[in-house]
Each structure stands twice: as structure tokens, then as C-alpha cells.
């Protein structure tokens, strides 16, 4: 293996490994309000981000998706010049790491990075579920505060900061492994393990995403993948079905749109107001929730100050219309490349896209930003196969 490739694999591996252990190393803003969206926090993965950024700087050229991600970074950097802040600088630094990850991953590394990470977190979350809570990994970042309960049903997060991140990672890893299983069928077993958290994190977004993924596998005429992923997500959902019963009751008994969609509509309204008020430079990277407080925006409808759950709107609110358009173009370009690469590559795309449109963690949390980089990298490399396989005949 060439020395440069070895360095790349090591640095990308460190990004994933350190993402598994989000132990807080330092709080640079100890006097800020006690909420993540107001603070500048340092995690182990930030050191790995430095390494991948340095490696990516010396690449001679960028592909289309890394280049488009770099455009998003550039628009946010321009907005930061008008709204400089330490938190905004950290947002730019982590976005640079996203660009680097997309540029550095390749077809051989992505199954180990995304798939391996997903399988590890899935097995850990299953252990947490069986144990009824944390399993004693607080020293490396496991937090009891990250667990959710729906009635008596427990939604464990692994070592991620929220169970919905676990659901997103499981779908990303499962889709990547299913794509690779066209040539190595045994990878369907870890693919099924990877998607298991869909069944017990009780995320409606994940339910939508797994349905789209299964449709793509069916279009690809890959019934073994349909079966493996359906069993992987379905069996835990049946075993731990109490949470889904509660979610169904919550949706059916909602008396307002905000209760039904978890206030996503209200958050969209807040973001549109920010965009109208600051169309050119936004409110500044990393400053969305801070601006809600500074501008005395009512947060009663959203049950607290939260970023808008949509990446293009969040980018537009923080970086101006140009940033929102760049983010939209990035997602559209990823979709175009995925469709060109085939139905299984499209499955990778739709497995994570709902989290980009209905959540915010791929923009706001380091673990989510790593997932975003791996997702875009997986799409960029999904079509690089020894032989061309037309859509609908991947099996």
C-alpha cells in the first residue's frame, strides 16, 4: 500500500474511532448558557479533523461533491467575516473537515468506515437496551442524558449524542454495506445489524428512510438485501414495539400541526424570518440558536430554542441565501450522481437524505458532520466499480 494511502486510511479511521468516544475535553466558553448551541466545546474528534484537513489540502484536485461542499464552506466563511465569533470559527473548521472527508474516502475504505462504525454502535445500543441504560462507558463519552424514553420504551443512543443520530448512522452504514454486498454477499449480515437501531430509536424520519432504501433495493432486483435490511430493522421493532405504539398514539392524538411534526413547521417559520431579515450574510455560522435568544424570538411553539430541522434553511439562515443555495446544490448534485451510479447508490442517497431535510445534526454536531462527509463520499465513490452495471440490474 502506498504511504500516502496508508496515512489517509489511518486519519479517516481516527475520525471514526474518535467519533465513537465524544468525551468532552474542554469548554472554551464556560460562561455561556448551559446548552450545546451556545458553547464552544472541544472533543477528541476535533484533533482528527486537523489531520484530515491537512491531508486534503495536498490533494491535487477535488471531485464534484468535495468541490460543492467547499462552496458551502466558502459561503459560510464569507458570512463569518460579517458576524465573527468563536463558535462560528469552530463551525467553519468542522465544515472544512467535512470537505476533507468527502475528498479522501474511497470505495475500499467506506464500508469499513461507515459500516464498521454503524455495526459497533448498533451492538452497543442493543446492549444498552438489554441492560436498561448506560453500560459503564461514561469515561469515553457515554451519557445517560442522551437516552430517550417513549412511555416505558427506552431509545438508547450508543455513544452518540442522541438516538436519532444512531438511527441515521445505522441507515447510512446499512445502505453502504448492502451496496457492497452485491459482490460480497456475506456483508448482508453486518448490514442487517447496522440498521437494527431503526427498530428501537422510534424515529419517524428513520422509518421513512428505511422504506425508501428498501424500495431502491427492490428496484435493483436485489431481494437478498431487501430481506436482510427488512429483518434487521423489523425484528427489533417487533421485539421492542412499545415505543412505536407510543409514537403512533402521539401522532394520532396531536391537536395541532406543531404537535404532529414536532414543531418543524414553526422552526421553518423562524428560519424564514431570519433569512428575510439577513438575506446576504445571515445571522452568522454557529449563531442560529444564539440569534433566537438575542432577537427575543418566541420559542414556545418549538418547545425551546432549536436549530431549524433542514440543512438548506439552516445554512441560509446562518450564511445567507448564497449558503442556502450552495447547500441545496450540494444535495441535488449528490442525488444526481447517485441516480447515475444505479439503484443501490440511490439507496445510499435516500437512506440519509431525510435526516438532512428533517433534522439538523448533520450540520450542528461533530458526529453528524462526520456522517455527512461519509455519506457524500459513499455516493461519490459508489459508481466506481470494475464493470458498469445499469440501473435495475445490480444483482
Amino acid at each position: 500500500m502506498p504511504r500516502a494511502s496508508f496515512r489517509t486510511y489511518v486519519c479517516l479511521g481516527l475520525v471514526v474511532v474518535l467519533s465513537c468516544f465524544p468525551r468532552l475535553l474542554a469548554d472554551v466558553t464556560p460562561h455561556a448558557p448551559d446548552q450545546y448551541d451556545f458553547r464552544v466545546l472541544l472533543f477528541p474528534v476535533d484533533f482528527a479533523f486537523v489531520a484530515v484537513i491537512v491531508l486534503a489540502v495536498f490533494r491535487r484536485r477535488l471531485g464534484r461533491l468535495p468541490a460543492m461542499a467547499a462552496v458551502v464552506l466558502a459561503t459560510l466563511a464569507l458570512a463569518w467575516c460579517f458576524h465573527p465569533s468563536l463558535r462560528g470559527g469552530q463551525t467553519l473548521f468542522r465544515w472544512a473537515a467535512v470537505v476533507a472527508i468527502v475528498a479522501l474516502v474511497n470505495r475500499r475504505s467506506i464500508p469499513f468506515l461507515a459500516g464498521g462504525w454503524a455495526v459497533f454502535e448498533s451492538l452497543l445500543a442493543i446492549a444498552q437496551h438489554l441492560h436498561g441504560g448506560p453500560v459503564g462507558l461514561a469515561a469515553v463519552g457515554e451519557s445517560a442524558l442522551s437516552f430517550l424514553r417513549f412511555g416505558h420504551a427506552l431509545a438508547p443512543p450508543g455513544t452518540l449524542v442522541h438516538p436519532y443520530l444512531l438511527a441515521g448512522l445505522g441507515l447510512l452504514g446499512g445502505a453502504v454495506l448492502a451496496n457492497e454486498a452485491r459482490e460480497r454477499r456475506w456483508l448482508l449480515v453486518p448490514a442487517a445489524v447496522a440498521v437494527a437501531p431503526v427498530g428501537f430509536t422510534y424515529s419517524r424520519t428513520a422509518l421513512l428512510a428505511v422504506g425508501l432504501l428498501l424500495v431502491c433495493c427492490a428496484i435493483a432486483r436485489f431481494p437478498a438485501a431487501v430481506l436482510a435490511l427488512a429483518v434487521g430493522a423489523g425484528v427489533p421493532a417487533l421485539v421492542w414495539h412499545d415505543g412505536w405504539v407510543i409514537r403512533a398514539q402521539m401522532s394520532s392524538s396531536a391537536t395541532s400541526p406543531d404537535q404532529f411534526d414536532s414543531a418543524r413547521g414553526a422552526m421553518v417559520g423562524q428560519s424564514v424570518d431570519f433569512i428575510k431579515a439577513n438575506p446576504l450574510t445571515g445571522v452568522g455560522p454557529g449563531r442560529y440558536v444564539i440569534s433566537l435568544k438575542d432577537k427575543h424570538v418566541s420559542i414556545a411553539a418549538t418547545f425551546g430554542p432549536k436549530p431549524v430541522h433542514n440543512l438548506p434553511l439552516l445554512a441560509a439562515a446562518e450564511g445567507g441565501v448564497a449558503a442556502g443555495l450552495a447547500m441545496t446544490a450540494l444535495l441535488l448534485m449528490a442525488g444526481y450522481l447517485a441516480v447515475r451510479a444505479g439503484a443501490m447508490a440511490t439507496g445510499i442517497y435516500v437512506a440519509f437524505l431525510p435526516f438532512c431535510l428533517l433534522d439538523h445534526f448533520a450540520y450542528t454536531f461533530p458526529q453528524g458532520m462526520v456522517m455527512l462527509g461519509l455519506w457524500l463520499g459513499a455516493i461519490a465513490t459508489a459508481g466506481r466499480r470494475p464493470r458498469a452495471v445499469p440501473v435495475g440490474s445490480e444483482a
Side-chain angles (χ1 to χ4, degrees):
M1 178 186 298
R3 184 176 300 178
S5 297
F6 178 75
R7 287 197 298 265
T8 300
Y9 291 156
V10 169
C11 290
L12 288 172
L14 280 175
V15 166
V16 169
V17 170
L18 294 181
S19 293
C20 295
F21 306 112
R23 180 179 176 82
L24 178 61
L25 299 180
D27 182 351
V28 184
T29 51
H31 302 295
D34 189 18
Q35 183 178 335
Y36 172 84
D37 302 279
F38 292 89
R39 309 181 84 114
V40 178
L41 307 176
L42 183 65
F43 297 99
V45 72
D46 287 309
F47 293 100
F49 284 165
V50 174
V52 293
I53 291 171
V54 171
L55 279 180
V57 165
F58 291 99
R59 288 184 67 87
R60 294 187 177 181
R61 68 181 184 87
L62 293 177
R64 281 176 285 186
L65 282 184
M68 190 61 69
V71 172
V72 176
L73 173 61
T75 57
L76 292 174
L78 180 61
W80 183 85
C81 293
F82 291 90
H83 305 282
S85 68
L86 190 59
R87 180 172 171 79
Q90 185 180 57
T91 298
L92 296 181
F93 163 71
R94 288 173 174 168
W95 253 102
V98 171
V99 176
I101 292 169
V102 183
L104 293 174
V105 297
N106 58 38
R107 182 193 161 197
R108 288 178 294 179
S109 64
I110 195 68
F112 296 99
L113 297 171
W117 186 15
V119 169
F120 167 77
E121 293 288 357
S122 177
L123 292 174
L124 177 59
I126 291 172
Q128 291 172 335
H129 211 308
L130 296 174
H131 185 67
V135 293
L137 298 177
V140 294
E142 183 189 36
S143 172
L145 299 177
S146 299
F147 288 71
L148 290 183
R149 285 191 178 275
F150 296 93
H152 296 292
L154 179 70
T159 58
L160 301 171
V161 297
H162 195 281
Y164 293 170
L165 274 78
L166 176 62
L169 175 62
L171 279 156
L172 170 60
V176 167
L177 290 170
N179 179 54
E180 291 297 319
R182 290 181 294 166
E183 297 179 357
R184 292 172 285 178
R185 293 300 174 96
W186 65 270
L187 287 175
L188 289 174
V189 174
V193 175
V195 299
V198 173
F200 56 78
T201 48
Y202 312 115
S203 163
R204 292 175 296 179
T205 301
L207 196 63
L208 169 64
V210 77
L212 294 173
L213 174 58
L214 291 175
V215 168
C216 288
C217 292
I219 293 173
R221 299 176 187 172
F222 196 179
V226 175
L227 178 62
L229 295 172
V231 169
V235 170
L238 290 174
V239 173
W240 293 305
H241 64 277
D242 292 353
W244 289 112
V245 173
I246 295 295
R247 292 311 306 264
Q249 292 173 347
M250 290 170 61
S251 298
S252 62
S253 63
T255 57
S256 69
D258 289 337
Q259 289 182 343
F260 181 80
D261 66 3
S262 301
R264 283 178 171 82
M267 287 184 276
V268 167
Q270 292 172 346
S271 69
V272 171
D273 290 340
F274 277 159
I275 295 167
K276 289 180 178 178
N278 307 273
L280 297 180
T281 62
V283 299
R287 289 185 45 81
Y288 187 95
V289 172
I290 295 172
S291 296
L292 289 175
K293 180 176 181 292
D294 291 346
K295 299 179 186 301
H296 305 288
V297 175
S298 174
I299 57 175
T302 59
F303 314 107
K306 299 175 184 177
V308 60
H309 286 39
N310 179 279
L311 264 58
L313 287 176
L314 184 52
E318 291 198 345
V321 172
L325 291 175
M327 183 70 78
T328 301
L330 173 63
L331 298 180
L332 290 175
M333 176 64 75
Y336 169 73
L337 295 177
V339 171
R340 281 193 59 186
M344 290 303 293
T346 305
I348 297 175
Y349 178 68
V350 299
F352 196 73
L353 180 66
F355 295 97
C356 296
L357 301 180
L358 298 172
D359 213 314
H360 63 87
F361 63 77
Y363 181 105
T364 52
F365 290 111
Q367 292 172 328
M369 298 177 85
V370 173
M371 292 179 211
L372 179 64
L374 294 177
W375 176 60
L376 294 172
I379 292 169
T381 61
R384 300 174 189 173
R385 316 196 68 83
R387 62 183 186 278
V389 182
V391 176
S393 60
E394 274 85 343

